[in-house]
Amino acid sequence: MASSLDLQVVLDTITQGLVEELDAAFARIWLLGLGDLCADCYKAADCANRSRCLHLEASAGLYTNLKGEYRRIPLGALKIGKIAQGSSAIFTNDVLGDDRLPNKQWMLDNGLRSFAGYPLKFRWELLGVIAMFGRRPLSGEEFERLAVFANEAAIAIKNAQLFTEVQQLKDRLQAENLYLREEIKLEHNFDEIIGESQSVKAVLRSIEQVAPTDSTVLIHGDTGTGKELIARAIHHMSPRRVRTLVKVNCGAIPANLIESELFGHEKGSFTGALQRRIGRFELADGGTIFLDEVGELPLDAQVKLLRVLQEREFERVGSGHSTKVDVRVIVATNRDLHAAVKAGSFRADLFYRLNVFPIEVPPLSARAADIPSLVNRFITKCSTKLGKRFDGVSHATMDRLMAYSWPGNIRELENVIERATILANGPMLQIDEVMLPGNSAPLLPVADSLEEVERAHILRILQDVNWVIEGKQGAATRLGLHPNTLRSRMQKLGIKKPLSTA
């Protein structure tokens, strides 16, 4: 009997052993599994209960194809289904005269004389059926050996199944640990949703309504409005909060890898697939999957996502078997999916599946009343991060922030506050028009270090005041520094007034 713990190796070894040791014309093993190919099953008309059926998993001898007419057999149908349902063996040395066996001409053409089929049972659990056709009669002793062989095969198969389950659980736990370690490294924009405006309160009410359900949620909003934060809030208020929230940025994955990323792949399924990999949907089983930028999915991936939403099952790349999943789906996009459907870049049927409970996240320009609260939150966050104390922003700065259009929304506001805290020389933050990219002033050059940021800022102020350092309109006053301190900083940073040209 096979000593391997790889299920497929065990099955192939058993069927090949029957062919070699008992001169079987061919031998096959079916294992009990979920009803998964009902729409395309050759035996669908004979199937009364489509929840379970027998799956052809191994075949040796005359036939090795696992995709033919008998790839699925309903319980109670044909001789194999009857063996499984009745849990009793069928064996005969007169296949042509036995009414239990159809297809007499096929048996005659292949010179078949004997048949033996046994249920594969481990204790009281039915695992499947093992069967063989022979070209010679089998002795009573050989039939008895077959019965013992079937019992030993059932034990080997059960051990391999248990090992596979343990290995799958181990792989999933490893994948979850890796994912969670990656998540810990990420710095989320907020610890909680901040705001007292009516538009934010409307979003919060929507979250409270949909979170306890399993309904699919479509979050729409501009870039930087906090769509991921909304998804996290829905998950943490749902019954699935004890399981993982798995995040996928659909726009960041190459088109040729998106299927493998979402659904996983088998070893050797494509070049570079050196080992079996669990996909994000399988990782999220029992929890929630958040598909960000879902509007960027290519059309072929949209078809497979639609199947998961409809059937709650998928196939790994390179696998012929379906995997059932229990996943709550939340998606987000900044695209107009209605327009994408009309343009043909997004499937209409997928859009309707996703648009069960839409949530519109308002842009920051529509909730200006929340800006003071957000500013204070970001100042506190930056103060902790930089180890500096800040008292807040001036009234002029707050008025400027409230009047700005914020095309980059909350993310842009956070970045502006962080830059202001880096450049600040006192406890009160000053933010002028130069720091707001949407205004007429040119952007500060991109810098790689704090020193470069400071140098660029001082240089910009000096240029604005025509290199005047002292006085009410001088650079020192604008920067909140003593003139001598500014000169010292200029010397350290290598800032020199350019020579006049004729």
Side-chain angles (χ1 to χ4, degrees), residues 1-21:
M1 189 58 60
S3 60
S4 172
L5 288 176
D6 183 291
L7 180 59
Q8 194 58 55
V9 172
V10 170
L11 298 175
D12 292 340
T13 302
I14 292 171
T15 51
Q16 190 60 40
L18 287 177
V19 171
E20 294 174 355
E21 294 182 22

Side-chain angles (χ1 to χ4, degrees), residues 193 203-213 230-242 288 328:
I193 299 173
V203 170
L204 293 176
R205 282 194 295 270
S206 295
I207 292 173
E208 291 175 349
Q209 290 170 333
V210 77
T213 74
I230 303 299
R232 289 184 180 279
I234 293 172
H235 173 71
H236 290 305
M237 294 177 66
S238 77
R240 295 175 178 266
R241 59 184 173 273
V242 295
T288 306
R328 203 258 181 91

Side-chain angles (χ1 to χ4, degrees), residues 247-254 258 261 290-294 296:
K247 184 184 69 172
V248 183
N249 187 338
C250 301
I253 305 172
I258 187 71
E261 184 70 21
F290 173 50
L291 303 178
D292 199 7
E293 304 299 342
V294 71
E296 307 304 319

Side-chain angles (χ1 to χ4, degrees), residues 152-173:
E152 293 178 348
I155 294 171
I157 290 170
K158 186 60 179 180
N159 286 339
Q161 288 178 331
L162 292 173
F163 177 78
T164 299
E165 291 175 7
V166 170
Q167 191 62 41
Q168 288 175 347
L169 180 59
K170 179 182 176 182
D171 291 345
R172 174 171 174 167
L173 289 174

Side-chain angles (χ1 to χ4, degrees), residues 176-206:
E176 283 186 354
N177 288 337
L178 177 61
Y179 177 79
L180 291 173
R181 285 198 298 270
E182 292 172 351
E183 282 289 281
I184 289 170
K185 292 177 184 176
L186 297 177
E187 183 178 357
H188 304 306
N189 290 333
F190 309 101
D191 294 325
E192 57 185 4
I193 299 173
I194 299 171
E196 293 293 329
S197 62
Q198 291 303 312
S199 56
V200 170
K201 289 181 178 179
V203 170
L204 293 176
R205 282 194 295 270
S206 295

